[in-house]
Short mmCIF file of all heavy atoms in Angstrom, two decimals:
data_model
loop_
_atom_site.label_atom_id
_atom_site.label_comp_id
_atom_site.label_asym_id
_atom_site.label_seq_id
_atom_site.Cartn_x
_atom_site.Cartn_y
_atom_site.Cartn_z
N ASN A 1 -56.56 19.62 7.45
CA ASN A 1 -56.67 20.72 8.43
C ASN A 1 -55.39 20.91 9.23
O ASN A 1 -55.31 21.84 10.04
CB ASN A 1 -57.84 20.45 9.39
CG ASN A 1 -59.19 20.58 8.71
OD1 ASN A 1 -59.32 21.26 7.69
ND2 ASN A 1 -60.20 19.93 9.27
N ILE A 2 -54.41 20.04 9.04
CA ILE A 2 -53.15 20.15 9.78
C ILE A 2 -52.23 21.15 9.08
O ILE A 2 -51.95 21.00 7.89
CB ILE A 2 -52.45 18.79 9.89
CG1 ILE A 2 -53.34 17.79 10.63
CG2 ILE A 2 -51.10 18.93 10.60
CD1 ILE A 2 -52.77 16.38 10.68
N LEU A 3 -51.78 22.15 9.81
CA LEU A 3 -50.82 23.12 9.28
C LEU A 3 -49.40 22.57 9.36
O LEU A 3 -48.69 22.49 8.37
CB LEU A 3 -50.90 24.42 10.08
CG LEU A 3 -52.15 25.28 9.89
CD1 LEU A 3 -52.22 26.33 10.98
CD2 LEU A 3 -52.12 25.95 8.52
N TYR A 4 -48.99 22.20 10.57
CA TYR A 4 -47.65 21.64 10.76
C TYR A 4 -47.60 20.91 12.08
O TYR A 4 -48.49 21.04 12.95
CB TYR A 4 -46.57 22.72 10.70
CG TYR A 4 -46.57 23.72 11.84
CD1 TYR A 4 -45.68 23.60 12.91
CD2 TYR A 4 -47.43 24.81 11.84
CE1 TYR A 4 -45.65 24.53 13.94
CE2 TYR A 4 -47.42 25.75 12.86
CZ TYR A 4 -46.53 25.60 13.91
OH TYR A 4 -46.52 26.52 14.94
N CYS A 5 -46.55 20.11 12.25
CA CYS A 5 -46.30 19.37 13.48
C CYS A 5 -44.95 19.81 14.04
O CYS A 5 -44.00 20.02 13.27
CB CYS A 5 -46.28 17.87 13.22
SG CYS A 5 -47.79 17.21 12.48
N GLU A 6 -44.88 19.93 15.33
CA GLU A 6 -43.65 20.40 15.98
C GLU A 6 -43.19 19.38 17.02
O GLU A 6 -43.99 18.92 17.85
CB GLU A 6 -43.89 21.74 16.66
CG GLU A 6 -42.66 22.30 17.37
CD GLU A 6 -42.92 23.62 18.06
OE1 GLU A 6 -44.10 24.05 18.12
OE2 GLU A 6 -41.96 24.23 18.55
N ALA A 7 -41.91 19.03 17.01
CA ALA A 7 -41.35 18.10 17.99
C ALA A 7 -41.31 18.74 19.36
O ALA A 7 -40.97 19.91 19.52
CB ALA A 7 -39.94 17.68 17.56
N ASP A 8 -41.66 17.95 20.37
CA ASP A 8 -41.60 18.38 21.76
C ASP A 8 -41.13 17.18 22.59
O ASP A 8 -41.93 16.49 23.20
CB ASP A 8 -42.97 18.87 22.23
CG ASP A 8 -42.92 19.50 23.62
OD1 ASP A 8 -41.82 19.55 24.21
OD2 ASP A 8 -43.99 19.92 24.12
N ASP A 9 -39.81 16.93 22.56
CA ASP A 9 -39.22 15.73 23.15
C ASP A 9 -39.87 14.49 22.54
O ASP A 9 -39.84 14.33 21.33
CB ASP A 9 -39.36 15.76 24.68
CG ASP A 9 -38.48 16.84 25.30
OD1 ASP A 9 -37.40 17.12 24.75
OD2 ASP A 9 -38.87 17.42 26.32
N ASN A 10 -40.47 13.64 23.36
CA ASN A 10 -41.12 12.44 22.84
C ASN A 10 -42.58 12.67 22.48
O ASN A 10 -43.33 11.72 22.22
CB ASN A 10 -41.01 11.30 23.85
CG ASN A 10 -39.59 10.78 23.97
OD1 ASN A 10 -38.87 10.70 22.98
ND2 ASN A 10 -39.18 10.42 25.17
N TYR A 11 -42.99 13.91 22.48
CA TYR A 11 -44.35 14.30 22.10
C TYR A 11 -44.30 15.09 20.79
O TYR A 11 -43.26 15.52 20.33
CB TYR A 11 -44.99 15.16 23.19
CG TYR A 11 -45.34 14.42 24.45
CD1 TYR A 11 -44.36 14.09 25.38
CD2 TYR A 11 -46.65 14.04 24.72
CE1 TYR A 11 -44.69 13.40 26.55
CE2 TYR A 11 -46.99 13.36 25.89
CZ TYR A 11 -46.01 13.05 26.79
OH TYR A 11 -46.32 12.37 27.93
N THR A 12 -45.47 15.26 20.21
CA THR A 12 -45.60 16.09 19.02
C THR A 12 -46.79 17.03 19.19
O THR A 12 -47.87 16.60 19.59
CB THR A 12 -45.82 15.24 17.75
OG1 THR A 12 -44.67 14.42 17.53
CG2 THR A 12 -46.04 16.12 16.53
N LYS A 13 -46.56 18.31 18.91
CA LYS A 13 -47.65 19.28 18.89
C LYS A 13 -48.18 19.36 17.45
O LYS A 13 -47.41 19.61 16.53
CB LYS A 13 -47.17 20.65 19.34
CG LYS A 13 -46.77 20.73 20.80
CD LYS A 13 -46.25 22.13 21.14
CE LYS A 13 -45.80 22.22 22.59
NZ LYS A 13 -45.21 23.56 22.89
N ILE A 14 -49.45 19.14 17.29
CA ILE A 14 -50.08 19.22 15.98
C ILE A 14 -50.87 20.52 15.91
O ILE A 14 -51.81 20.73 16.67
CB ILE A 14 -51.01 18.02 15.73
CG1 ILE A 14 -50.22 16.71 15.80
CG2 ILE A 14 -51.69 18.15 14.37
CD1 ILE A 14 -51.09 15.48 15.62
N TYR A 15 -50.46 21.40 15.00
CA TYR A 15 -51.14 22.68 14.83
C TYR A 15 -52.13 22.58 13.68
O TYR A 15 -51.79 22.20 12.57
CB TYR A 15 -50.12 23.79 14.57
CG TYR A 15 -49.24 24.09 15.76
CD1 TYR A 15 -48.08 23.35 16.00
CD2 TYR A 15 -49.58 25.09 16.66
CE1 TYR A 15 -47.28 23.60 17.10
CE2 TYR A 15 -48.78 25.36 17.77
CZ TYR A 15 -47.64 24.61 17.98
OH TYR A 15 -46.85 24.87 19.07
N LEU A 16 -53.37 22.93 13.98
CA LEU A 16 -54.46 22.83 13.01
C LEU A 16 -54.87 24.21 12.53
O LEU A 16 -54.43 25.24 13.07
CB LEU A 16 -55.66 22.13 13.66
CG LEU A 16 -55.37 20.76 14.29
CD1 LEU A 16 -56.51 20.35 15.20
CD2 LEU A 16 -55.14 19.73 13.21
N ASP A 17 -55.75 24.25 11.52
CA ASP A 17 -56.31 25.53 11.10
C ASP A 17 -56.94 26.24 12.29
O ASP A 17 -56.88 27.45 12.41
CB ASP A 17 -57.37 25.31 10.01
CG ASP A 17 -56.74 24.87 8.69
OD1 ASP A 17 -55.62 25.31 8.40
OD2 ASP A 17 -57.38 24.09 7.96
N LYS A 18 -57.54 25.45 13.18
CA LYS A 18 -58.11 25.99 14.41
C LYS A 18 -57.69 25.09 15.58
O LYS A 18 -58.12 23.95 15.67
CB LYS A 18 -59.64 26.04 14.33
CG LYS A 18 -60.16 27.03 13.28
CD LYS A 18 -61.69 27.06 13.27
CE LYS A 18 -62.20 28.05 12.23
NZ LYS A 18 -63.69 28.08 12.19
N GLY A 19 -56.84 25.61 16.44
CA GLY A 19 -56.43 24.87 17.62
C GLY A 19 -55.19 24.03 17.42
O GLY A 19 -54.55 24.05 16.37
N GLN A 20 -54.85 23.27 18.46
CA GLN A 20 -53.68 22.40 18.41
C GLN A 20 -53.90 21.20 19.32
O GLN A 20 -54.76 21.21 20.20
CB GLN A 20 -52.42 23.15 18.83
CG GLN A 20 -52.40 23.59 20.30
CD GLN A 20 -51.15 24.37 20.63
OE1 GLN A 20 -50.94 25.48 20.16
NE2 GLN A 20 -50.31 23.79 21.47
N LYS A 21 -53.10 20.14 19.10
CA LYS A 21 -53.18 18.91 19.87
C LYS A 21 -51.78 18.51 20.31
O LYS A 21 -50.81 18.75 19.60
CB LYS A 21 -53.78 17.76 19.04
CG LYS A 21 -55.11 18.08 18.37
CD LYS A 21 -56.25 18.17 19.37
CE LYS A 21 -57.56 18.49 18.65
NZ LYS A 21 -58.67 18.63 19.63
N LEU A 22 -51.68 17.90 21.48
CA LEU A 22 -50.42 17.35 21.96
C LEU A 22 -50.56 15.84 22.01
O LEU A 22 -51.47 15.32 22.67
CB LEU A 22 -50.07 17.89 23.35
CG LEU A 22 -48.74 17.41 23.94
CD1 LEU A 22 -47.56 17.87 23.10
CD2 LEU A 22 -48.59 17.87 25.39
N VAL A 23 -49.68 15.14 21.30
CA VAL A 23 -49.80 13.69 21.16
C VAL A 23 -48.50 13.02 21.63
O VAL A 23 -47.40 13.51 21.33
CB VAL A 23 -50.08 13.30 19.68
CG1 VAL A 23 -50.30 11.80 19.57
CG2 VAL A 23 -51.28 14.06 19.15
N SER A 24 -48.65 11.91 22.34
CA SER A 24 -47.47 11.21 22.86
C SER A 24 -46.85 10.30 21.81
O SER A 24 -46.74 9.08 21.97
CB SER A 24 -47.84 10.39 24.10
OG SER A 24 -48.86 9.46 23.80
N LYS A 25 -46.47 10.90 20.68
CA LYS A 25 -45.73 10.22 19.62
C LYS A 25 -44.64 11.17 19.14
O LYS A 25 -44.80 12.40 19.19
CB LYS A 25 -46.65 9.86 18.45
CG LYS A 25 -47.61 8.71 18.75
CD LYS A 25 -46.87 7.39 18.86
CE LYS A 25 -47.80 6.25 19.16
NZ LYS A 25 -47.08 4.97 19.32
N THR A 26 -43.54 10.62 18.66
CA THR A 26 -42.44 11.45 18.18
C THR A 26 -42.78 12.06 16.82
O THR A 26 -43.64 11.56 16.09
CB THR A 26 -41.15 10.64 18.05
OG1 THR A 26 -41.33 9.63 17.06
CG2 THR A 26 -40.78 10.00 19.39
N LEU A 27 -42.06 13.11 16.47
CA LEU A 27 -42.24 13.73 15.16
C LEU A 27 -41.85 12.75 14.06
O LEU A 27 -42.47 12.75 12.98
CB LEU A 27 -41.39 15.00 15.06
CG LEU A 27 -41.63 15.86 13.82
CD1 LEU A 27 -43.07 16.38 13.78
CD2 LEU A 27 -40.65 17.03 13.78
N LYS A 28 -40.86 11.90 14.30
CA LYS A 28 -40.47 10.89 13.33
C LYS A 28 -41.64 9.97 12.99
O LYS A 28 -41.84 9.58 11.84
CB LYS A 28 -39.29 10.08 13.88
CG LYS A 28 -38.81 8.95 12.97
CD LYS A 28 -38.17 9.48 11.71
CE LYS A 28 -37.56 8.36 10.89
NZ LYS A 28 -37.00 8.84 9.61
N TYR A 29 -42.42 9.65 13.99
CA TYR A 29 -43.59 8.80 13.77
C TYR A 29 -44.56 9.45 12.80
O TYR A 29 -45.05 8.82 11.86
CB TYR A 29 -44.29 8.51 15.10
CG TYR A 29 -45.45 7.56 14.99
CD1 TYR A 29 -45.27 6.20 15.20
CD2 TYR A 29 -46.72 8.00 14.65
CE1 TYR A 29 -46.32 5.30 15.07
CE2 TYR A 29 -47.78 7.12 14.52
CZ TYR A 29 -47.57 5.77 14.74
OH TYR A 29 -48.62 4.90 14.60
N PHE A 30 -44.83 10.74 13.00
CA PHE A 30 -45.77 11.44 12.12
C PHE A 30 -45.18 11.66 10.73
O PHE A 30 -45.90 11.66 9.74
CB PHE A 30 -46.21 12.76 12.75
CG PHE A 30 -47.24 12.57 13.83
CD1 PHE A 30 -46.88 12.57 15.16
CD2 PHE A 30 -48.56 12.35 13.50
CE1 PHE A 30 -47.82 12.38 16.15
CE2 PHE A 30 -49.52 12.14 14.48
CZ PHE A 30 -49.14 12.15 15.81
N GLU A 31 -43.87 11.84 10.67
CA GLU A 31 -43.23 11.97 9.37
C GLU A 31 -43.46 10.70 8.54
O GLU A 31 -43.80 10.77 7.36
CB GLU A 31 -41.73 12.22 9.54
CG GLU A 31 -40.99 12.38 8.22
CD GLU A 31 -39.49 12.59 8.42
OE1 GLU A 31 -39.02 12.46 9.57
OE2 GLU A 31 -38.80 12.88 7.43
N GLU A 32 -43.30 9.55 9.16
CA GLU A 32 -43.50 8.29 8.46
C GLU A 32 -44.97 8.07 8.12
O GLU A 32 -45.30 7.48 7.09
CB GLU A 32 -42.97 7.15 9.31
CG GLU A 32 -41.45 7.18 9.48
CD GLU A 32 -40.95 6.14 10.46
OE1 GLU A 32 -41.79 5.50 11.13
OE2 GLU A 32 -39.72 5.98 10.57
N SER A 33 -45.87 8.53 8.99
CA SER A 33 -47.30 8.33 8.76
C SER A 33 -47.86 9.26 7.69
O SER A 33 -48.79 8.88 6.97
CB SER A 33 -48.07 8.55 10.07
OG SER A 33 -47.68 7.62 11.06
N LEU A 34 -47.29 10.46 7.58
CA LEU A 34 -47.89 11.48 6.71
C LEU A 34 -47.08 11.75 5.44
O LEU A 34 -47.44 12.63 4.66
CB LEU A 34 -48.05 12.79 7.49
CG LEU A 34 -49.05 12.74 8.66
CD1 LEU A 34 -48.94 14.00 9.51
CD2 LEU A 34 -50.47 12.55 8.16
N ASN A 35 -46.01 11.01 5.22
CA ASN A 35 -45.15 11.33 4.06
C ASN A 35 -45.84 11.10 2.72
O ASN A 35 -45.40 11.64 1.70
CB ASN A 35 -43.82 10.56 4.13
CG ASN A 35 -44.01 9.05 4.03
OD1 ASN A 35 -45.12 8.55 3.99
ND2 ASN A 35 -42.91 8.33 4.01
N LEU A 36 -46.90 10.32 2.70
CA LEU A 36 -47.64 10.11 1.45
C LEU A 36 -48.83 11.06 1.33
O LEU A 36 -49.63 10.93 0.40
CB LEU A 36 -48.13 8.66 1.36
CG LEU A 36 -47.04 7.58 1.31
CD1 LEU A 36 -47.67 6.20 1.26
CD2 LEU A 36 -46.12 7.80 0.12
N HIS A 37 -48.92 12.00 2.24
CA HIS A 37 -50.05 12.93 2.26
C HIS A 37 -49.61 14.38 2.11
O HIS A 37 -50.27 15.29 2.61
CB HIS A 37 -50.85 12.74 3.56
CG HIS A 37 -51.50 11.40 3.66
ND1 HIS A 37 -52.78 11.14 3.24
CD2 HIS A 37 -51.01 10.21 4.10
CE1 HIS A 37 -53.08 9.87 3.44
NE2 HIS A 37 -52.01 9.28 3.95
N GLY A 38 -48.46 14.58 1.45
CA GLY A 38 -48.03 15.94 1.14
C GLY A 38 -47.40 16.68 2.31
O GLY A 38 -47.49 17.91 2.37
N PHE A 39 -46.73 15.97 3.21
CA PHE A 39 -46.05 16.60 4.33
C PHE A 39 -44.54 16.50 4.14
O PHE A 39 -44.03 15.45 3.72
CB PHE A 39 -46.44 15.95 5.65
CG PHE A 39 -47.78 16.42 6.18
CD1 PHE A 39 -48.95 16.05 5.56
CD2 PHE A 39 -47.85 17.25 7.28
CE1 PHE A 39 -50.19 16.47 6.02
CE2 PHE A 39 -49.07 17.70 7.77
CZ PHE A 39 -50.24 17.30 7.12
N ALA A 40 -43.84 17.58 4.45
CA ALA A 40 -42.39 17.62 4.26
C ALA A 40 -41.70 17.97 5.57
O ALA A 40 -42.13 18.89 6.28
CB ALA A 40 -42.01 18.64 3.19
N ARG A 41 -40.64 17.26 5.87
CA ARG A 41 -39.80 17.57 7.04
C ARG A 41 -38.87 18.70 6.63
O ARG A 41 -38.00 18.52 5.78
CB ARG A 41 -39.02 16.33 7.46
CG ARG A 41 -38.22 16.48 8.75
CD ARG A 41 -39.13 16.45 9.98
NE ARG A 41 -38.36 16.45 11.22
CZ ARG A 41 -38.07 15.35 11.91
NH1 ARG A 41 -38.48 14.16 11.48
NH2 ARG A 41 -37.39 15.44 13.04
#
């Protein structure tokens, strides 16, 4: 359901099919977590 993630300083905005989330993790963190799930930087 995740469309894309956007860097926001030390936070990441996660955009979903419906809505969005703000998480206190860097975009690099999500890149490493999701790289085996079809996500591209």
Side-chain angles (χ1 to χ4, degrees):
N1 290 336
I2 299 175
L3 289 166
Y4 68 100
C5 302
E6 180 181 7
D8 187 1
D9 291 328
N10 290 323
Y11 289 78
T12 297
K13 293 178 182 176
I14 300 178
Y15 291 86
L16 306 165
D17 289 327
K18 294 182 180 179
Q20 67 182 68
K21 308 289 180 182
L22 181 64
V23 184
S24 58
K25 288 290 180 182
T26 64
L27 189 62
K28 178 68 174 177
Y29 184 94
F30 282 99
E31 180 182 8
E32 293 173 352
S33 298
L34 295 170
N35 65 355
L36 297 179
H37 294 268
F39 280 71
R41 186 74 174 263

